[in-house]
């Protein structure tokens, strides 16, 4: 009894957890090997995905994906240079998306209310989330989830407002979330970013009001030069546990689009980057 009470106050070591999760790669088809890293009480949804719900009828679904962008499973040889973790160049790192998985495991440990989904096959066309989206309206969670937050974006400052199929969240929602994150961690500079490409939250834009993707601090994903800013990940884990997710502004109706949705001179984003990959 006393050991369980003590464990509630033990803080996850984010760096150690990340290094353990990225000790090898997990191409689609090997995701089940990660079951022993998932929290007690997780369930399978019938589509190959794993989930756990914290709280009663939480309004936020948090997502990350378990697979990595390679075809063959490989051991990862880490190289640590200050706050940057990369590989020796013989494999990808898999920070895409073990960084997101780390954030969610941290939140679950802290018992932050939410529906936590660990998807399979994101790197093969969002296999798991696509399957779930097709049956979403038949699931009880569809009656109370109003926002979907993916932790699967490169860099350190994006709250994604547009993905492959157009607008995924309202500017008001993105501004509200950015400000809340920046307020709890003064070194952050999150802002709305319309240059998203494609991740699991895109599957739910016609089903859930506000869907976005948040920067988790990795760069050069899908390549052997992939790297993770572990300091950003540590700060993000702390910050997301201090955000009042239930209080976020919900403006967009599911599937809503319009052309000038993101015209706002006060929230400029750099759109001159080279976006060759999916997040």
């Amino acid at each position: 009894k006393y050991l369980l009470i003590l464990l509630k106050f033990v803080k996850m070591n984010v760096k150690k957890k990340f290094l353990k999760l990225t000790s090898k790669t997990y191409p689609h088809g090997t995701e089940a090997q990660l079951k022993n890293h998932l929290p007690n009480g997780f369930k399978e949804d019938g589509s190959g995905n794993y989930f756990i719900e914290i709280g009663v009828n939480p309004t936020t679904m948090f997502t990350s994906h378990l697979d990595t962008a390679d075809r063959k499973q490989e051991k990862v040889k880490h190289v640590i240079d200050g706050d940057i973790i990369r590989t020796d160049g013989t494999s990808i790192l898999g920070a895409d998306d073990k960084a997101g998985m780390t954030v969610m495991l941290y939140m679950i440990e802290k018992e932050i209310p939410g529906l936590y989904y660990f998807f399979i096959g994101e790197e093969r066309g969002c296999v798991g989330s696509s399957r779930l989206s097709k049956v979403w309206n038949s699931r009880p969670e569809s009656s109370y989830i109003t926002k979907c937050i993916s932790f699967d974006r490169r860099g350190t400052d994006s709250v994604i407002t547009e993905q492959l199929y157009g607008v995924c969240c309202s500017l008001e929602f993105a501004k509200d979330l950015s400000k809340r994150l920046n307020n709890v961690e003064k070194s952050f500079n999150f802002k709305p970013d319309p240059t998203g490409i494609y991740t699991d939250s895109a599957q739910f834009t016609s089903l859930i009001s506000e869907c976005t993707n948040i920067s988790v601090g990795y760069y050069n994903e899908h390549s052997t030069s992939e790297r993770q800013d572990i300091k950003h990940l540590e700060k993000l884990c702390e910050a997301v546990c201090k955000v009042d997710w239930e209080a976020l502004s919900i403006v967009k109706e599911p599937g809503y689009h319009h052309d000038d949705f993101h015209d706002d001179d006060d929230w400029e984003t750099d759109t001159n980057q080279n976006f060759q990959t999916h997040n």
Side-chain angles (χ1 to χ4, degrees), residues 46-97:
S47 296
N49 307 302
Y50 308 103
F51 72 97
I52 187 170
E53 187 167 294
I54 306 294
V56 178
N57 294 351
T59 63
T60 310
M61 176 164 71
F62 301 105
T63 88
S64 61
H65 63 88
L66 301 176
D67 63 317
T68 49
D70 52 355
R71 299 283 183 177
K72 179 182 177 182
Q73 190 166 59
E74 297 182 280
K75 290 186 177 180
V76 172
K77 297 178 181 178
H78 293 113
V79 175
I80 302 174
D81 184 10
D83 293 332
I84 301 300
I85 298 175
R86 53 187 176 83
T87 77
D88 65 350
T90 61
S91 73
I92 64 172
L93 177 60
D96 174 11
D97 188 27

Side-chain angles (χ1 to χ4, degrees), residues 2-276:
Y2 296 110
L3 179 59
L4 291 174
I5 294 174
L6 179 62
L7 287 173
K8 286 179 68 69
F9 293 96
V10 175
K11 183 186 297 185
M12 176 193 295
N13 185 305
V14 172
K15 184 176 181 178
K16 286 183 178 179
K17 177 65 70 173
F18 177 81
L19 289 171
K20 190 170 185 179
L21 291 174
T22 58
S23 61
K24 61 181 177 180
T25 63
Y26 294 89
H28 179 43
T30 68
E31 293 99 329
Q33 295 178 23
L34 286 158
K35 283 184 179 181
N36 64 326
H37 293 286
L38 296 178
N40 292 333
F42 79 86
K43 299 177 182 179
E44 297 185 40
D45 70 351
S47 296
N49 307 302
Y50 308 103
F51 72 97
I52 187 170
E53 187 167 294
I54 306 294
V56 178
N57 294 351
T59 63
T60 310
M61 176 164 71
F62 301 105
T63 88
S64 61
H65 63 88
L66 301 176
D67 63 317
T68 49
D70 52 355
R71 299 283 183 177
K72 179 182 177 182
Q73 190 166 59
E74 297 182 280
K75 290 186 177 180
V76 172
K77 297 178 181 178
H78 293 113
V79 175
I80 302 174
D81 184 10
D83 293 332
I84 301 300
I85 298 175
R86 53 187 176 83
T87 77
D88 65 350
T90 61
S91 73
I92 64 172
L93 177 60
D96 174 11
D97 188 27
K98 295 304 179 294
M101 186 179 178
T102 300
V103 172
M104 286 171 50
L105 291 175
Y106 192 94
M107 295 176 75
I108 292 168
E109 182 182 89
K110 298 298 181 184
E111 300 183 343
I112 306 303
L115 173 64
Y116 294 83
Y117 247 97
F118 300 88
F119 286 117
I120 65 167
E122 191 268 359
E123 302 291 4
R124 295 294 173 260
C126 293
V127 174
S129 55
S130 175
R131 291 174 182 171
L132 178 64
S133 69
K134 292 174 182 176
V135 298
W136 178 251
N137 285 332
S138 68
R139 294 182 63 89
E141 300 93 336
S142 67
S143 67
Y144 49 83
I145 294 296
T146 59
K147 45 198 174 303
C148 178
I149 313 292
S150 288
F151 294 109
D152 187 25
R153 173 66 177 182
R154 69 174 70 85
T156 61
D157 60 3
S158 294
V159 175
I160 292 299
T161 58
E162 296 184 33
Q163 295 192 57
L164 180 65
Y165 301 120
V167 171
C168 57
C169 79
S170 65
L171 182 60
E172 290 86 348
F173 177 84
K175 289 166 68 174
D176 189 10
L177 178 52
S178 296
K179 289 177 180 177
R180 289 174 187 269
L181 288 167
N182 296 341
N183 283 341
V184 297
E185 173 49 60
K186 299 305 181 183
S187 67
F188 281 170
N189 187 32
F190 277 100
K191 52 187 176 291
D193 181 352
T195 63
I197 308 299
Y198 189 55
T199 193
D200 292 305
S201 57
Q203 295 294 321
F204 299 95
T205 56
S206 65
L207 302 166
I208 297 173
S209 294
E210 305 281 8
C211 300
T212 189
N213 189 13
I214 296 176
S215 290
V216 291
Y218 63 67
Y219 298 86
N220 297 342
E221 68 276 15
H222 300 188
S223 74
T224 55
S225 60
E226 183 182 14
R227 67 188 190 276
Q228 174 70 43
D229 181 338
I230 198 64
K231 183 60 66 176
H232 176 78
L233 189 62
E234 290 172 342
K235 291 179 178 179
L236 183 63
C237 285
E238 293 283 349
V240 293
C241 292
K242 297 175 182 176
V243 168
D244 185 352
W245 296 97
E246 298 297 309
L248 283 165
S249 302
I250 304 298
V251 175
K252 187 178 81 65
E253 294 295 329
Y256 178 74
H257 300 75
H258 67 73
D259 293 337
D260 61 349
F261 206 67
H262 302 303
D263 288 343
D264 191 318
D265 294 336
D266 294 331
W267 289 82
E268 296 179 356
T269 54
D270 180 6
T271 58
N272 297 318
Q273 302 177 55
N274 182 18
F275 294 100
Q276 297 180 340

